[in-house]
Amino acid sequence: MLTLAALLVLSNAIETPRTLEQLDRALEQTAAIRSAEQRADATQHLLDELEAAGRLPFAEGGRVRFLFGGAESAAVAGDFNGWSASAALRVPDLPLHALELELPADARVDYKWIVDGERWMLDPRNARRQRSGFGDNSCVWMPGYEPSPWLAELPEEQRGVLLPAQTIESDALQLEIQYRVHVPVGGSDGCPLLVVTDGHEYADAEMGALPRVLDALVAAERIRPVVAVFVDPRVAGKNLRAEQYVRNPAFARFLAHELVPRIEAVHGTSPRRPDRAILGTSLGGVNALYCATEAAGTFGCIAAQSPALHVAEEPLREALGELEVGPTRFLLSTGTLRDGERRTRELQALLEETGHPSRLLVTNEGHSWGQWSALLDDVLVHFFAAP
């Protein structure tokens, strides 16, 4: 039978805490219950209420508190700490661990719990998920975060067509490369062309969701209809992105002299250099920047999301500094949470100093598809804005 103190806690918990101060008060009341069993029941009830209200983790202003019940030890790893373990402390007298962090008020971060020292897991009380190249993560939206309005699937009549996978035999690479083409509503004739590396992830509705963003922006008349070709780095079950994307002249030749001509011949896309863009993220961002010099005659628009500049910073800076002034447009993006922000800002400054039109997007996020998908509308409007 519950004590009066436990009944008070349970009745007060019906009105879910709305501030960290109220949460602290509820935890203090719960800890004051004498019976360990009843404290555990009251803690569970409080967590149930917070979960039902979508308040776990509990974010207020620029502070967020992670809560996990029923473990011997718990830690949190995520974008904010480079995916190392930040220990959550045991709340006195409660079967509960808590970790409080200060984050930008508009941040969005991926994370996982590390329970009992070894088990990595999604937050069982947080329904928000973000898929990564290594599986799903839980994610936190801080109070000022605004999700992209362009990621929802449209009615069928407003959707373009993502064609089945096709292959091309590459002489440059001596490999058979797989790709998919997204054709906009109304057809492809005369459309600009967007070449996308890591295409299997950019095309995934739970990761890049680029086909959805293209369809939504075309339907809203924010951009011209665009043909996108999604290039898959996987060959015979092995992902070759590390060797294809980092200063590989053979891959640049494949894109410029084999793939783009194939797409133009089959789909009738625009042959104009300013109508051709290449997009990539991380190592793919490095490849996009490399193609600005190695495939300068093909691509007039370069989009690099969170480019992994640490793998080839100096050679890229030197090559871009010698690039012909004017005809190539650049868009760079980076997160502020361990995402190479300093290097990306320095590269954008170099582009500006050397006369190359560029735009830099900075968000309070980490190296995540949640960041990259939400910025795709900016990329597309920047290069392909409707008249």
Side-chain angles (χ1 to χ4, degrees):
M1 185 174 182
L2 289 175
T3 65
L4 178 60
L7 288 169
L8 285 172
V9 170
L10 292 174
S11 63
N12 288 340
I14 293 173
E15 185 173 348
T16 308
R18 297 181 181 179
T19 66
L20 283 167
E21 182 180 357
Q22 291 174 356
L23 176 59
D24 285 336
R25 191 178 309 123
L27 292 172
E28 290 171 1
Q29 292 174 328
T30 306
I33 299 171
R34 291 184 179 180
S35 163
E37 181 180 351
Q38 292 173 352
R39 282 200 304 274
D41 289 343
T43 301
Q44 179 75 21
H45 181 82
L46 178 59
L47 292 175
D48 289 345
E49 292 293 321
L50 292 170
E51 179 184 357
R55 294 305 305 271
L56 288 175
F58 197 103
E60 178 189 2
R63 297 159 66 198
V64 59
R65 188 177 300 174
F66 298 84
L67 297 170
F68 195 95
E72 291 298 317
S73 68
V76 185
D79 292 328
F80 50 86
N81 62 8
W83 291 91
S84 58
S86 294
L89 299 179
R90 184 70 176 258
V91 179
D93 300 318
L94 294 178
L96 187 66
H97 285 81
L99 172 67
E100 186 166 317
L101 300 173
E102 291 188 7
L103 292 173
D106 63 348
R108 190 210 63 83
V109 298
D110 291 10
Y111 73 96
K112 274 190 169 80
W113 280 101
I114 306 173
V115 178
D116 295 335
E118 57 183 23
R119 184 159 54 103
W120 289 62
M121 61 183 292
L122 297 169
D123 191 331
R125 293 185 175 275
N126 180 6
R128 286 202 174 109
R129 301 282 188 266
Q130 177 57 58
R131 185 155 298 164
S132 77
F134 302 97
D136 287 359
N137 294 319
S138 296
C139 61
V140 176
W141 295 0
M142 295 297 284
Y145 175 74
E146 295 183 8
S148 170
W150 305 105
L151 296 173
E153 189 171 39
L154 295 179
E156 187 173 355
E157 64 272 14
Q158 293 181 300
R159 282 183 253 160
V161 178
L162 183 61
L163 298 174
Q166 304 170 62
T167 59
I168 179 173
E169 288 282 352
S170 170
D171 290 334
L173 296 170
Q174 294 295 297
L175 293 171
E176 186 177 71
I177 302 298
Q178 183 171 280
Y179 67 93
R180 300 185 73 179
V181 176
H182 183 268
V183 177
V185 172
S188 59
D189 193 47
C191 288
L193 174 63
L194 176 64
V195 174
V196 186
T197 52
D198 287 315
H200 62 305
E201 296 188 347
Y202 267 107
D204 188 320
E206 302 299 321
M207 298 172 79
L210 179 51
R212 289 186 176 184
V213 181
L214 283 164
D215 292 339
L217 292 173
V218 169
E221 299 183 348
R222 295 287 303 278
I223 62 171
R224 295 177 285 160
V226 174
V227 170
V229 54
F230 296 91
V231 186
D232 195 327
R234 299 170 298 179
V235 177
K238 183 179 179 182
N239 193 319
L240 301 180
R241 66 192 303 271
E243 51 204 79
Q244 289 179 348
Y245 296 170
V246 182
R247 300 178 63 219
N248 186 335
F251 189 70
R253 287 197 304 273
F254 159 69
L255 295 174
H257 302 304
E258 296 176 345
L259 182 64
V260 168
R262 160 80 70 89
I263 301 302
E264 289 183 359
V266 174
H267 296 281
T269 54
S270 170
R272 299 178 62 249
R273 181 178 174 277
D275 284 342
R276 296 196 206 103
I278 183 164
L279 164 67
T281 184
S282 194
L283 292 179
V286 170
N287 174 73
L289 294 166
Y290 185 66
C291 285
T293 60
E294 291 297 308
T298 299
F299 298 108
C301 303
I302 308 295
Q305 295 191 291
S306 301
L309 294 171
H310 62 281
V311 302
E313 182 174 18
E314 289 308 315
L316 275 175
R317 288 176 62 88
E318 182 178 345
L320 291 170
E322 296 174 356
L323 187 65
E324 181 185 353
V325 172
T328 305
R329 301 166 63 204
F330 292 84
L331 185 143
L332 309 176
S333 69
T334 183
T336 61
L337 303 177
R338 297 175 180 259
D339 193 37
E341 178 189 4
R342 178 186 60 79
R343 287 186 169 96
T344 306
R345 286 187 181 276
E346 289 173 353
L347 179 62
Q348 198 257 348
L350 171 69
L351 292 171
E352 290 294 309
E353 289 167 8
T354 51
H356 303 300
S358 64
R359 183 182 177 195
L360 175 64
L361 307 174
V362 180
T363 62
N364 289 315
E365 302 189 48
H367 201 76
S368 164
W369 279 109
Q371 178 204 158
W372 304 324
S373 63
L375 294 178
L376 288 175
D377 59 306
D378 297 271
V379 173
L380 296 167
V381 171
H382 185 68
F383 293 137
F384 306 122

